[in-house]
Amino acid sequence: MKLEWSPEMAAKAFMDTVKSCELYQGSSVTELISAMAAGWNAKLIVETWSHGGLLTTSIGLAVASTHTCGRHVCIVPDQDSGTEYATAMEKFGMSPEVIVGDPETVVKELELVIDFLVVDSRRNEFAGILKAAKFGHRGAVLVCKNVNLRVGSDFRLRSLFDDGGSRRIVRSVFLPVGNGLDIAHVAAVGPGSGEIKTRRWIKRVDRESGEEFLIRK
């Protein structure tokens, strides 16, 4: 079994997110992420948030979770952030599950596997969160926000997964929307998956520095 795309679900979540975020300017990132989470029928949606962060993405993920009948979890680093987040989301009639604690530790301790994960690449712990996340046999979709503020994010994403272990990135794309998004589909590779592992060298060019990297896949 693998993640299967539902255009109908994505369209519904997109339109509902537009309505929910109509007071915000430039919310295209929110609508896109919401449509993706719903379209992939994500049952466990996880995001990270901290004091002062934008709420539009959270609103979109909450909308998506209502369409998939899924669980929307937001991880915050401290109680003040948790209170601020919950209070703000309640104003929109939404009440995602909030977990307070170190994001990497919380992700490690989550009992359920993650289908859709959204992190902020401006925060230093984002790589640790991605590595600690548990994905099921369907694989998962990863979204890194604010990637144009960091160099070579796509290269680092692949270095976290394409290491010969049990997970690998099937495809990834950079979208120049908002402050930049890196989106990746991670497939779980294991016994009975029917996948044949092959190794090959891929040349990638950093978008900003122009530096070339060789990645063994």
Side-chain angles (χ1 to χ4, degrees):
M1 184 182 295
K2 63 181 181 179
L3 289 171
E4 295 183 355
W5 179 255
S6 169
E8 295 82 6
M9 193 87 77
K12 291 177 181 178
F14 182 92
M15 294 307 300
D16 285 349
T17 302
V18 169
K19 296 175 183 177
S20 297
C21 296
E22 61 184 2
L23 297 180
Y24 288 88
Q25 297 295 322
S27 61
S28 58
V29 172
T30 299
E31 296 146 4
L32 171 63
I33 293 176
S34 176
M36 288 181 59
W40 289 116
N41 196 27
K43 297 303 183 183
L44 178 56
I45 300 171
V46 176
E47 65 167 325
T48 59
W49 190 87
S50 60
H51 172 72
L54 294 176
L55 285 169
T56 50
T57 298
S58 300
I59 294 169
L61 293 176
V63 169
S65 68
T66 62
H67 286 279
T68 66
C69 298
R71 179 181 176 188
H72 175 201
V73 176
C74 180
I75 303 172
V76 296
D78 52 64
Q79 192 61 54
D80 288 343
S81 293
T83 301
E84 178 184 350
Y85 178 88
T87 301
M89 291 295 285
E90 285 176 1
K91 293 180 180 179
F92 292 90
M94 301 172 178
S95 54
E97 179 179 348
V98 179
I99 301 179
V100 178
D102 173 68
E104 183 176 344
T105 301
V106 172
V107 167
K108 285 181 180 179
E109 295 176 350
L110 279 177
E111 296 180 359
L112 301 178
V113 295
I114 297 172
D115 293 316
F116 200 90
L117 176 61
V118 181
V119 297
D120 190 336
S121 66
R122 292 178 301 184
R123 300 187 64 83
N124 293 329
E125 74 271 16
F126 89 99
I129 296 171
L130 296 180
K131 294 188 71 172
K134 304 180 189 72
F135 305 132
H137 57 279
R138 295 200 313 155
V141 174
L142 308 180
V143 178
C144 292
K145 303 185 299 182
N146 300 308
V147 297
N148 68 345
L149 301 181
R150 304 180 68 94
V151 178
S153 58
D154 179 67
F155 170 73
R156 280 194 301 275
L157 276 180
R158 289 190 174 274
S159 70
L160 293 175
F161 296 100
D162 293 351
D163 57 0
S166 61
R167 306 182 298 181
R168 68 180 181 85
I169 290 182
V170 177
R171 63 182 65 87
S172 64
V173 63
F174 169 78
L175 298 180
V177 294
N179 287 325
L181 293 177
D182 257 332
I183 302 171
H185 175 204
V186 178
V189 179
S193 65
E195 300 209 27
I196 300 174
K197 292 185 179 181
T198 59
R199 308 293 288 180
R200 58 194 176 96
W201 290 97
I202 298 175
K203 182 175 75 172
R204 301 188 69 82
V205 180
D206 186 274
R207 292 184 294 270
E208 296 185 13
S209 68
E211 186 176 1
E212 294 184 356
F213 298 94
L214 287 177
I215 304 172
R216 193 177 183 188
K217 183 175 180 181

